[in-house]
Amino acid sequence: MSKIKPAKGSPYARILGVGGYRPTRVVPNEVILETIDSSDEWIRSRSGIATRHWASPQETVAAMSVEASGKALADAGVSPEQIGAVIVSTVSHFKQTPAVATEIAHRIGAVKPAAFDISAGCAGFGYGLTLAKGMVVEGSAQYVLVIGVERLSDLTDLEDRATAFLFGDGAGAVVVGPSDEPAIGPTVWGSEGDKSETIKQTVPWDEYLGKGGGEKFPAITQEGQAVFRWAVFEMAKVAQQALDAAGITADDLDVFIPHQANMRIIDSMVKTLKLPDHVTVARDVETTGNTSAASIPLAMERLLATGAAKSGDTALVIGFGAGLVYAATVVTLP
C-alpha cells in the first residue's frame, strides 16, 4: 500500500479573471501592401484581417505579459503573492533560458512561484490552461497565472505574400483558481507530427547562426491550403469531442472562442459545428490578426469587455497550429 498522502487541492478549478494587452501601434493592411503585391480587398477576403498590432522595442514579451497579468489579477481579485505558478506559452521569446515566466513572476511581485514556458504554438493557451487546472485540483498551487504572449512581428517575412498580413503581437492572461463546481471541462488535445512541415520556422537557429546570419532572418511560414483544410475539418471534430467530453451540446453553448487564425476558418468551423444563432462567436482576428498563443485570452477579454459575452457564460475554446497541435475544452467565463 502506498504511503503517499492524497492531494489536498480543490475539487474543481475555474478561470477567475482575464486580462489583455495590445501594443499601441495599429498597422493597417496598407502598410503590409508596401512590401507585397496584393490588395486590401484580397487580404480581407482571404483572412478577414483589416488591422493588427505590432510591438515597439519597449513592448517586449515580458513587458506585454506584465501588463496583461496585472489586469487579470485585478479582474480575479487575487494578489500577486497568492500566485503559486506562472505558465507562459510563447514561440517568440528569443532567449532560450531562463524562461521568461521567471522574469514575469518577479516583475508582478509573485513570491517564489513555479514558473516555466511552454512551446505549443497556437494551442499553447489551451495547454497552459489544462496544466493550471491540474495544479489547482492537485493542490500544488492555489492560484495559477496562465499567459499567452507573442511578438510575431519579429518572425514575419514581410515579403512573403502568403503570411505577411497574418501575424500580430499581444498578450493575454487568465488567473485559474479553486471552484466548487466544474468550470473547466476535460481537455481534448493532441498532435499530428506527420504534418509538422505545414507550419514551421523557415531556418533553424543553429543553421542561421552557422552561416553567420547571412540568410534572411528566420520567419514563420505555412502551407495555407493544407492548414485551412486541416483546421476546418479535423478541428471541428476535436471541438465536437470537447463538447461531448463536457456533456453538453452546441445548443448549450453561449460563446465560441476559437484560435483567431483566419476569419474563413472561424466561419467554416461555425458552419460545420452547426452552432445556433444565439452563440456569440469571437472574431477578434479582424483587428488583432493572428497572435498565436495570445489569441484566445485576448478574444475572451474583448468579448467580456464589450459585453458581447458575460460572466458565467459557457464557452467552447479551441486552439490549433504549428506541430500540428491542438487543444479544446469548455469553460465557464469569469
Side-chain angles (χ1 to χ4, degrees):
M1 180 179 294
S2 174
K3 297 179 181 179
I4 299 173
K5 294 181 180 180
K8 295 182 179 180
S10 170
Y12 306 107
R14 68 183 306 119
I15 300 174
L16 300 173
V18 60
Y21 179 82
R22 293 172 173 81
T24 56
R25 183 187 177 193
V26 177
V27 180
N29 288 338
E30 286 72 19
V31 172
I32 307 299
L33 296 175
E34 294 174 2
T35 52
I36 62 171
D37 180 17
S38 188
S39 68
D40 176 65
E41 180 183 5
W42 187 88
I43 293 174
R44 288 173 185 257
S45 66
R46 298 291 293 181
S47 67
I49 299 172
T51 62
R52 72 285 291 149
H53 295 254
W54 283 354
S56 68
Q58 292 74 35
E59 291 170 314
T60 63
V61 165
M64 292 190 292
S65 298
V66 169
E67 292 291 332
S69 298
K71 295 176 182 178
L73 288 166
D75 191 43
V78 172
S79 70
E81 294 81 6
Q82 293 176 283
I83 295 296
V86 177
I87 303 172
V88 177
S89 177
T90 184
V91 299
S92 48
H93 175 60
F94 292 159
K95 186 180 290 185
Q96 192 72 36
T97 192
V100 72
T102 59
E103 177 185 349
I104 295 165
H106 173 69
R107 290 177 60 173
I108 66 171
V111 181
K112 297 183 179 181
F116 58 94
D117 300 348
I118 57 176
S119 177
C122 306
F125 176 75
Y127 276 49
L129 184 65
T130 303
L131 294 174
K133 171 189 172 183
M135 290 178 177
V136 171
V137 172
E138 178 198 51
S140 61
Q142 186 176 16
Y143 298 100
V144 181
L145 182 63
V146 181
I147 303 165
V149 57
E150 302 291 3
R151 272 183 54 122
L152 294 180
S153 57
D154 292 335
L155 288 169
T156 298
D157 181 354
L158 293 178
E159 297 178 350
D160 180 4
R161 190 172 184 269
T163 61
F165 56 88
L166 286 176
F167 303 119
D169 303 336
V174 298
V175 175
V176 177
S179 174
D180 293 329
E181 59 184 11
I184 301 176
T187 299
V188 177
W189 56 355
S191 65
E192 298 185 30
D194 60 311
K195 301 180 181 66
S196 61
E197 291 295 302
T198 57
I199 306 175
K200 64 181 182 179
Q201 183 173 309
T202 51
V203 184
W205 293 114
D206 55 350
E207 288 187 20
Y208 176 76
L209 294 172
K211 296 175 181 177
E215 293 190 0
K216 184 181 292 186
F217 192 76
I220 297 173
T221 185
Q222 69 176 30
E223 298 174 14
Q225 287 302 314
V227 173
F228 180 87
R229 289 192 297 270
W230 176 78
V232 170
F233 297 108
E234 297 304 319
M235 291 306 97
K237 297 176 185 177
V238 171
Q240 183 60 55
Q241 291 169 16
L243 291 175
D244 295 341
I248 66 172
T249 69
D251 289 336
D252 298 315
L253 278 181
D254 300 303
V255 184
F256 179 43
I257 311 178
H259 164 49
Q260 301 295 293
N262 180 304
M263 195 75 79
R264 291 170 62 220
I265 291 175
I266 295 171
D267 290 341
S268 295
M269 290 184 71
V270 169
K271 183 177 180 180
T272 302
L273 287 167
K274 299 180 180 179
L275 296 185
D277 291 340
H278 74 261
V279 176
T280 297
V281 180
R283 292 187 170 88
D284 193 46
V285 66
E286 179 180 5
T287 56
T288 306
N290 180 343
T291 56
S292 187
S295 76
I296 290 176
L298 279 174
M300 182 185 296
E301 185 261 354
R302 176 161 282 174
L303 288 175
L304 290 167
T306 60
K310 63 183 184 300
S311 174
D313 279 352
T314 300
L316 168 63
V317 299
I318 180 170
F320 45 86
L324 294 169
V325 297
Y326 54 88
T329 187
V330 176
V331 304
T332 301
L333 293 183

